[in-house]
């Protein structure tokens, strides 16, 4: 299907969903049988909204209607995200332009769905998305994203499980764009990331939201008292985790300042073991295995 036809179909689907949201009194917690074709359009609708600059509009909405109120989200190398507002921030706001130094890039496209399977209200897809990384010399790279997504009868996302494939390799590629010597590259990245986080803290985290006694205290903690973090440690007690959450501070300092602070605010700590992550039973909104009719 050509891109223009996909876009036209997505817009038609969005109009239909708007009508459905006003007229459909079906229990949204039920498991609808949406069918392959509609799930394909819903998958494309998500990525159309995810692309810059469309993601700016979604982020400004505070509560994007693409999500259900009780949406549950999980991103493999970070943490779990509950509710529409938090997911709007992390799925859309996190990828919008920012003054922060960050390994999080901007999805400028194009995107291409490489693999897709769908049944009932569930779709599994592998999508390649073009990103630009402003903090790393505006390097442009493709990023492969694996998703499992379920929708309710109002065509809202109720659950998603996401993996950024080969993220470790991407992380190393970004670092080496700063310097061909890995040690120097890491040192440059640590200095830039820590300085950025501390600047954000000084600007937004005041009063009861204050996490550090001074910019010097902040910088020392981030560069000397915690580890930088490997690619799978974006939800652990690392500089990298706090860098991810720094972008969110501007949206709700009362919620996110603690995430860049010393104790990590429940988002950046070492409380979860490998076994816990593997065995965690998190999703409750809808079965991941389609029902047999």
């Amino acid at each position: 299907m050509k891109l223009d036809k996909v876009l036209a179909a997505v817009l038609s689907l969005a109009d239909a969903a708007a009508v459905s949201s006003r007229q459909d009194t079906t229990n949204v917690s039920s498991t609808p049988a949406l069918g392959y074709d509609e799930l394909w359009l819903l998958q494309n609708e998500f990525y159309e909204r995810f692309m810059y600059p469309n993601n700016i509009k979604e982020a400004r909405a505070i509560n994007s209607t693409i999500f259900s109120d009780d949406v549950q989200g999980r991103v493999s190398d970070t943490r779990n995200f509950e509710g529409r507002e938090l997911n709007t921030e992390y799925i859309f706001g996190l990828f919008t332009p920012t003054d922060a130094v960050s390994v999080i890039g901007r999805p400028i496209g194009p995107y291409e769905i490489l693999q897709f399977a769908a049944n009932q209200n569930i779709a599994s897809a592998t999508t390649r998305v073009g990103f630009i990384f402003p903090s790393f010399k505006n390097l442009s790279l493709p990023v492969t994203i694996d998703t499992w997504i379920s929708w309710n009868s109002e065509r809202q996302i109720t659950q998603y499980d996401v993996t950024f494939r080969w993220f470790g390799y991407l992380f190393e590629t970004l670092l080496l764009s700063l310097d061909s010597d890995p040690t120097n590259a890491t040192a440059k990245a640590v200095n830039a990331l820590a300085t950025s986080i501390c600047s954000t803290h000084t600007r937004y985290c005041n009063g009861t939201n204050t996490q550090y006694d001074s910019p010097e205290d902040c910088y020392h903690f981030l560069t000397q008292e915690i580890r930088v973090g490997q690619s799978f440690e974006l939800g652990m007690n690392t500089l990298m985790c706090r860098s991810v959450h720094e972008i969110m501070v501007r949206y709700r300092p009362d919620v996110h300042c603690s995430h860049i602070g010393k104790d990590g605010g429940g988002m950046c700590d070492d409380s979860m073991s490998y076994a816990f992550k593997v065995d965690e039973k998190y999703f409750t909104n809808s079965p991941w295995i389609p029902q047999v009719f």
Side-chain angles (χ1 to χ4, degrees):
M1 185 182 294
K2 293 183 178 180
L3 180 59
D4 57 343
K5 292 183 178 180
V6 170
L7 291 175
V10 167
L11 291 174
S12 177
L13 177 62
D15 291 339
V19 173
S20 173
S21 66
R22 293 191 296 268
Q23 297 178 344
D24 189 357
T25 58
T26 304
N27 181 0
V28 298
S29 65
S30 63
T31 304
L34 300 177
Y36 184 93
D37 290 342
E38 185 163 11
L39 289 168
W40 168 258
L41 293 177
L42 287 167
Q43 187 80 32
N44 277 276
E45 180 189 12
F46 168 75
Y47 274 107
E48 288 299 327
R49 294 198 194 190
F50 180 66
M51 293 297 108
Y52 172 80
N54 297 340
N55 56 4
I56 295 177
K57 179 180 178 181
E58 297 299 322
R60 287 176 177 170
I62 308 300
N63 288 279
S64 174
T65 55
I66 202 170
F67 297 119
S68 65
D69 284 331
D70 60 350
V71 61
Q72 295 178 300
R74 180 169 68 186
V75 181
S76 60
D77 295 317
T78 58
R79 290 286 181 117
N80 301 335
F81 304 105
E82 300 275 352
R84 180 182 282 168
E85 186 167 5
L86 197 64
N87 275 284
T88 298
E89 291 175 336
Y90 279 98
I91 296 302
F92 295 115
L94 187 63
F95 297 92
T96 58
T98 176
D99 293 332
V101 176
S102 176
V103 297
I104 304 299
R106 191 182 311 159
I108 60 173
Y111 76 88
E112 181 182 7
I113 298 176
L114 305 173
Q115 298 165 324
F116 185 78
N119 193 328
Q120 199 169 305
N121 71 322
I122 304 166
S124 177
T126 297
T127 308
R128 183 168 55 219
V129 181
F131 271 73
I132 188 170
F133 295 88
S135 298
F136 294 84
K137 300 181 178 180
N138 285 317
L139 193 64
S140 294
L141 290 169
V143 177
T144 299
I145 306 173
D146 294 328
T147 59
W148 281 84
I149 303 177
S150 71
W151 285 266
N152 62 24
S153 61
E154 293 191 351
R155 283 65 176 171
Q156 296 171 322
I157 294 173
T158 60
Q159 299 176 155
Y160 66 84
D161 206 358
V162 174
T163 300
F164 283 76
R165 195 187 294 186
W166 304 306
F167 183 74
Y169 201 175
L170 170 63
F171 184 39
E172 181 182 40
T173 301
L174 292 175
L175 285 179
L176 292 179
S177 72
L178 301 178
D179 197 298
S180 59
D181 180 270
T183 300
N184 292 338
T186 299
K188 289 179 180 180
V190 167
N191 176 65
L193 293 171
T195 299
S196 180
I197 294 169
C198 294
S199 176
T200 293
H201 176 267
T202 298
R203 182 176 180 182
Y204 293 103
C205 301
N206 304 304
T208 59
N209 295 323
T210 301
Q211 306 295 314
Y212 300 99
D213 294 335
S214 65
E216 293 75 20
D217 177 42
C218 175
Y219 186 84
H220 183 270
F221 176 81
L222 294 176
T223 60
Q224 302 297 321
E225 297 185 38
I226 57 173
R227 59 193 183 277
V228 178
Q230 299 184 61
S231 61
F232 62 87
E233 294 186 300
L234 301 187
M236 302 180 75
N237 186 28
T238 63
L239 171 65
M240 293 305 304
C241 180
R242 288 164 176 82
S243 176
V244 169
H245 290 273
E246 175 196 357
I247 300 174
M248 297 298 97
V249 169
R250 58 179 169 157
Y251 293 108
R252 287 191 293 167
D254 58 321
V255 172
H256 299 291
C257 279
S258 64
H259 302 156
I260 65 172
K262 292 186 177 182
D263 66 7
M267 283 290 188
C268 297
D269 59 48
D270 292 336
S271 60
M272 295 195 304
S273 68
Y274 167 77
F276 177 87
K277 289 181 70 72
V278 173
D279 292 332
E280 181 185 27
K281 293 178 174 60
Y282 172 58
F283 298 102
T284 59
N285 284 348
S286 178
W288 278 121
I289 300 176
Q291 298 175 2
V292 179
F293 291 97

